[in-house]
Each structure stands twice: as C-alpha cells, then as structure tokens.
Amino acid sequence: MQLLDRKRALAITPLWRLGFRPFFLAGALFGLLAVAFWAAALHGLINPAVPGGMLAWHRHEMPFGFGLAIIAGFLLTAVQTWTGSPGLSGRPLIALFGLWLAARLAWFFPVLLAMLIALQLVFIGLFIAQMARQLITARQRNNYPILLVLSLLALCQSLTLAGLVQGDDGLQLRGALAALWLIAVMLSLIGGRVIPFFTQRGLGRVEAFAAHPWLDRLLLVCGVLVAALFASGHNLLASPRLAAPFIVLSALHGLRLWRWHLRGIWRVPLLWSLHLAYAWLLLATLGMAAWHLGWLTQPSLANHALAVGAMGGLTLAMMARVSLGHTGRALQPPKAMAWAFGLLNLGALIRVTCGGGWLWLAALCWGVAFALFAWYYAPMLFRARVDGHPG
C-alpha cells in the first residue's frame, strides 16, 4: 500500500476500515436479539405485526439476516488477502452496512412489501457484485465456488420472498431450508481452509495438513445437490433414496474431522470451538440421513443442529479468532470466550435433544454466548489496530 493510501486508510473511522468490524459486531447483536425475540414470541410474550407473521420473519432472518451478515464480514475482509486489492471500507462500506440494517428494520415499520423485498435483494446483490469484482479482476478462479454459493443463496432468498408475497408457507420453507444448507456449503468451504490452518498455527505445528481437492469438490457438489433438493421440495418428504447424499456428506465431514484432529486442540479454546462447531455439520447430515431412513421422527432436529450448532458455533468461533488477528492482537481471546463457546454448544444440545419446554434455555445459552462476544470484542472493533496498521 502506498503512503498516500495508508494515510487515507488511517483517516477512516476504525469501525469502517474493513467489513469484519461492523458486520461481526452488528451480526452478533442481531443474532442475540433475533433469537430472544423469537423465543418471546413462541412463549406468547410478544406478537408484533410483521409481514407473513413471526414464523416467516424467523425463517428469513436467521439465514439472510444473521448468517449473511457474518459471511459478509468474513468475505469482505478475506477477499483483500486473497486478491491483494483493498477491501471495502469507508463510505462504500457504510452504505452496504446501512442497506443490511435497513433490511432488518423494515420488517417492523409500515413500509410497502415491495420496499421490504427490494432492500433484502439489493443488499445481497451489491455484496455479490463487490465480491465478484475483486475475485474476477484478480482471476481468483479457486474462489469462484464462493461466488456460486452466494448466487444460489440470492436465488433461495428470492424463493423465500416469493413465498412471502404469495402467502405460500411451503415456498418460504423450501427457500429458507435450501439457504440454510447452502450456508452449510459455505461453512464447509471456509472451514476446510481455515480450520486446518488455524490448527497448525495454534499448535505450532511445522507440517501443514495435506490438501485434498477431490474431497472439497465432492463436498461442494453434494452440498449444492442437497440444497437444490430442498429448494425443489423433495427433501421435505422422507425418502430412503434421498438419504444417499447426506450419508456421503457425513462420511466426508467425518473424514475431515479425523484428519484435522490433534490432541492439543482441547487446550486451546480458539481451536476446540472450531472443531466442535464443525462436528455439528456431521451431526446435522447424519440426522437428515436418519430421518430419510425412518430412524428419526423430526427433520427439524437435524436442521437446528445445523443452524444452532454449526452455523452459530462456527460464526462465533470464526469471529473470535478473525477479530483478534485483524486488529493486530495476540491470538489469545478473553477468558470469558471459552464460556461463550461452551454455552453455545450447550444451547445447541438442548435445542436438538429436549422438548419445546426447554427452548427458552437454549435461547438463553445462545444469547449469553453472543452477548459475551459483543461485550468483549466491541472495544476491539471500534478501535484502530494495536500495531498501527490500516484495517
């Protein structure tokens, strides 16, 4: 970076210097509030008037409000490293974040449904356009699968919103579940890169983990196939033949976990949190296979293992580690974060094993976990890097 560019970068308010700063913080706070809001609605404590009702709001906002915010924060930051070109910052970042925030608030204000939908789709469209511009300009073909998954996520969001317009609950469910399993693909893509790398660095291991491109490609293909079967409605009905892609995914996720496992990870919270969260991907795929084979009565248990354990767990662990590295700090999280990781996994366990009467406790565990992140990391995200560098 030239001196002039450095001066300009350092002149930007720290919160708007890179995408991880606003999106990690706001995503964590939104995840906390959204689950608390949903739990309150389930227990009859609130009943706000939102388009399509609270179930429609919950289905849309967890993947496209919470999940997409964390994905945006990570990718808008990582793309700078991948391409060598500056990431989104300053006014363009403020504008993109403002769109995301407006899309969240629009559910609770008397705006036209068309305006609500436009805000949702404009945000994801501009996010994809920014990623595509940087990746294609740099000819980062190895990262084109990320553009594919993001584009398919936009299609799933369109499907969900079409169901909202038509009052079609089935269409909303298809779009939301397809999006959730596409997020699983994204977690697999990103996790496959960072978990072995972070494990190697975190344990001081000299030898890198062996790369297995065939495994990555097979996970991508099977993951997209599963999402397509949800979008088409086929995965909403149990069928033994549809267990096959989930069995393949289970085997591949299990193989990855086995290859990445080193005993030392259990001494390092930033590592065991990642490995445990990835294990929820394995449990979710096993759960869906079991449901299709008639061994499990409710597919929602597997879907919530994915949403709470894998998506929640990996986003929390990634935010905790990435925020330290990109603010120039030592990779030693606040001690309370070990409790946050443990509470999130406990909440996931309660959600998939206990009855509806325990949902409040699962929501509480989730909320406290993300509250701890926000409390300890907000000062880091609002302040400049401790080493004086931009970013």
Side-chain angles (χ1 to χ4, degrees), residues 226-239:
V226 160
L229 289 170
F230 274 108
S232 65
H234 288 85
N235 258 332
L236 302 184
L237 298 172
S239 171

Side-chain angles (χ1 to χ4, degrees), residues 227-307:
L229 289 170
F230 274 108
S232 65
H234 288 85
N235 258 332
L236 302 184
L237 298 172
S239 171
R241 61 189 176 86
L242 294 181
F246 291 105
I247 292 172
V248 173
L249 284 171
S250 301
L252 296 177
H253 287 317
L255 181 59
R256 268 185 164 180
L257 283 168
W258 176 71
R259 284 177 167 165
W260 295 340
H261 184 265
L262 297 172
R263 285 184 297 176
I265 64 174
W266 303 107
R267 300 192 303 268
V268 185
L270 286 179
L271 295 182
W272 62 252
S273 56
L274 286 167
H275 286 256
L276 274 184
Y278 197 91
W280 282 104
L281 276 178
L282 170 60
L283 291 175
T285 51
L286 284 172
M288 284 302 302
W291 177 68
H292 275 301
L293 293 171
W295 302 341
L296 191 68
T297 57
Q298 295 183 49
S300 67
L301 300 180
N303 290 325
H304 281 91
L306 172 55

Side-chain angles (χ1 to χ4, degrees), residues 16 21 37 50 77 111 120 122 190 262 267 285 306 310 312 315 344 365 367 382:
W16 307 110
R21 292 176 176 270
F37 215 57
V50 296
T77 302
V111 300
Q120 313 298 331
V122 169
I190 296 172
L262 297 172
R267 300 192 303 268
T285 51
L306 172 55
T315 54
L344 191 135
C365 290
F382 272 108

Side-chain angles (χ1 to χ4, degrees), residues 158-182:
S158 300
L159 184 66
T160 306
L161 293 170
L164 179 65
V165 171
Q166 298 173 23
D168 188 331
D169 183 76
L171 207 57
Q172 293 177 51
L173 182 62
R174 285 160 52 187
L177 288 178
L180 181 62
W181 284 89
L182 280 174

